[in-house]
Amino acid sequence: EMSPEERAFQERVDRGEKIEPKEWMPEGYRKTLVRQIGQHAHSEIVGQLPEGNWITRAPTLERKAILLAKVQDEAGHGLYLYCAAETLGVSRDELMEKLHNGSMKYSSIFNYPTLNWADIGAVGWLVDGAAIMNQVPLQRTSFGPYSRAMIRICKEESFHQRQGYDIMMKMAKGTPEQRAMAQDALNRFWYPSLMMFGPSDKDSVHSAQSIAWKIKINTNDELRQKFVDQTVPQAEYLGLTIPDDNLRWNEEKGGYDFSEPDWSEFFEVIAGNGPCNKERLGARVKAWEDGAWFREGLMAHAEKHGKRQAA
Ligand code: ACO
């Protein structure tokens, strides 16, 4: 049964009002937001790694500059999102600690390797494409700081997706070898991209409550369907084949029928057993440890400065 406070809160959410940090909220709402926003922030930060891997190996100076800017954008997205989480009373250090000790997740997709340049195209096209599909509705999420962060992030994210598609166009219209690389990248990234939307609705433990609170706007399966419907014509334009024999247009539902990803693989990846989990987490922990001297220096400086002002 809802308490009077909870009922009043739910009515505000139902009216479409934004909830701001200092306002009353149910503990479960706060916890769910810290989990989702924190996980989202970690994904932006860990998501720099597979692409960062290709900055030094981009095929031209122009591609290098573009990729560098894109990876920097991801760092910025992580920072806005950590700030949004901090307004809920959790510190950035706590969030980092939980990422590093494995008690908080980040998106499954970043545990797959980027083996060649075509993968950078596929990541921009499919991974950023899936990210936007998920994030556009989140601009209307009920928590003010999260919603505002999403508005800004979505603008940059759509540029990221276009740069990925542009790489795919070059590759798909290039030499037979380049074309084969583009197809191979699509083959490897297709199902992992479908997994980004989370488990199927029947296995999604948080969806019902999160949708009632307007923390989420759509179910995982709704967004996955929209992503497939948007992406199939883009693959056709590239002349590439989506690796799914069951893919066909369903007139009745006005969308494509498609094969589900291998959910046992998904659950293995989010349990820490994907192809690159150890490498990704290891890189983040190392970066944190390597930065310790700098954080300590900043703290020492702030302390000295504080003492001087107090004197
Ligand atoms: N990768 C890792 N974990 C996932 C994924 C995924 N793709 N999908 C679901 N999970 C986890 C959930 O976090 C939850 O685990 P938890 O209870 O330990 O937190 C569990 O699987 C069950 O899933 P759901 O009940 O469906 O979870 P939820 O309602 O949070 O929905 C979703 C998952 C759709 C990812 C949601 O959290 C969301 O919209 N997040 C914001 C977007 C985001 O994080 N994007 C990051 C990738 S895009 C990018 O950064 C470029």
Side-chain angles (χ1 to χ4, degrees):
E1 256 312 281
M2 274 193 209
S3 68
E5 270 168 322
E6 284 169 332
R7 193 166 310 114
F9 176 85
Q10 187 63 51
E11 281 164 11
R12 290 191 59 197
V13 169
D14 293 343
R15 281 197 298 273
E17 283 178 33
K18 291 280 182 256
I19 308 301
E20 296 299 338
K22 296 213 164 117
E23 295 170 344
W24 188 87
M25 60 184 76
E27 197 43 36
Y29 179 85
R30 182 190 304 276
K31 270 202 175 136
T32 301
L33 278 170
V34 168
R35 180 182 62 79
Q36 182 169 318
I37 300 172
Q39 179 170 301
H40 195 164
H42 295 328
S43 303
E44 301 284 356
I45 297 301
V46 177
Q48 294 180 98
L49 296 169
E51 292 180 291
N53 187 35
W54 281 87
I55 291 173
T56 53
R57 288 177 275 169
T60 66
L61 183 60
E62 190 189 7
R63 292 288 183 197
K64 190 200 282 278
I66 293 169
L67 187 60
L68 190 60
K70 178 192 186 251
V71 173
Q72 285 176 337
D73 286 350
E74 310 290 0
H77 297 174
L79 298 185
Y80 311 147
L81 287 164
Y82 285 127
C83 289
E86 282 176 316
T87 69
L88 292 158
V90 56
S91 73
R92 196 173 303 189
D93 284 3
E94 273 172 78
L95 293 170
M96 288 294 172
E97 164 96 39
K98 287 187 170 157
L99 170 67
H100 297 157
N101 71 23
S103 59
M104 257 179 110
K105 296 186 170 77
Y106 56 88
S107 182
S108 51
I109 190 71
F110 302 118
N111 293 306
Y112 290 85
T114 45
L115 303 176
N116 59 49
W117 181 252
D119 286 9
I120 298 304
V123 166
W125 172 34
L126 301 172
V127 175
D128 293 305
I132 299 172
M133 194 54 86
N134 168 276
Q135 288 170 11
V136 164
L138 290 178
Q139 295 177 110
R140 292 182 283 120
T141 196
S142 59
F143 186 56
Y146 191 28
S147 153
R148 291 187 287 273
M150 280 298 118
I151 292 170
R152 176 134 183 209
I153 289 174
C154 282
K155 288 192 175 140
E156 293 179 344
E157 212 68 71
S158 58
F159 155 72
H160 296 171
Q161 201 226 359
R162 279 154 195 239
Q163 71 85 38
Y165 196 69
D166 185 61
I167 293 173
M168 291 307 275
M169 283 213 285
K170 263 270 165 31
M171 301 291 286
K173 315 268 180 225
T175 63
E177 288 82 1
Q178 285 174 315
R179 212 184 153 65
M181 282 170 74
Q183 181 63 53
D184 169 60
L186 169 57
N187 293 349
R188 284 180 291 106
F189 276 94
W190 177 251
Y191 289 103
S193 300
L194 296 186
M195 293 176 193
M196 287 176 68
F197 296 96
S200 64
D201 290 350
K202 63 178 185 344
D203 295 317
S204 170
V205 286
H206 301 296
S207 279
Q209 181 60 69
S210 289
I211 288 174
W213 277 330
K214 295 191 186 161
I215 289 174
K216 280 169 84 165
I217 308 296
N218 302 92
T219 74
N220 301 353
D221 286 335
E222 280 167 12
L223 293 175
R224 194 170 7 253
Q225 178 72 53
K226 281 182 80 171
F227 175 74
V228 172
D229 294 344
Q230 170 185 284
T231 309
V232 171
Q234 295 173 348
E236 281 168 1
Y237 184 79
L238 293 171
L240 299 178
T241 308
I242 288 184
D244 180 359
D245 292 337
N246 298 318
L247 186 77
R248 57 184 61 82
W249 180 254
N250 180 332
E251 191 62 52
E252 219 168 290
K253 79 172 179 191
Y256 286 89
D257 289 333
F258 59 93
S259 300
E260 295 273 308
D262 175 354
W263 290 119
S264 63
E265 176 181 320
F266 170 79
F267 288 113
E268 276 297 304
V269 172
I270 68 172
N273 305 317
C276 301
N277 294 57
K278 289 196 177 56
E279 187 185 331
R280 300 294 186 233
L281 212 52
R284 289 312 314 159
V285 170
K286 181 175 186 306
W288 180 255
E289 286 169 356
D290 289 352
W293 68 273
F294 186 74
R295 290 191 302 276
E296 281 159 17
L298 273 181
M299 289 308 286
H301 176 78
E303 232 168 79
K304 242 198 261 172
H305 189 71
K307 275 197 195 130
R308 219 178 290 139
Q309 279 196 329

